[in-house]
């Protein structure tokens, strides 16, 4: 059996569980997500192979 996990869904799952457990984390998780997406948009993700 071969299981392939991609980065996005795993991060979304972990973030969802953390938000359910500790609702105060919502602001920090959203802020971190927006910063990461902004940096990837500015510098490109062509050289990243996750």
């Amino acid at each position: 059996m071969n299981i392939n996990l991609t980065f996005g869904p795993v991060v979304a799952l972990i973030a969802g569980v953390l938000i359910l457990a500790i609702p105060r984390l919502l602001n920090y998780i959203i802020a971190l997500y927006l910063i990461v997406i902004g940096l990837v948009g500015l510098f490109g993700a062509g050289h990243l192979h996750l």
Side-chain angles (χ1 to χ4, degrees), residues 26-41:
L26 180 62
N27 293 335
Y28 296 110
I29 291 172
I30 291 174
L32 183 62
Y33 172 78
L34 291 173
I35 290 169
V36 168
I37 294 300
L39 290 174
V40 168

Side-chain angles (χ1 to χ4, degrees), residues 6-19:
T6 57
F7 188 67
V10 173
V11 171
L13 181 63
I14 293 170
V17 170
L18 287 174
I19 289 169

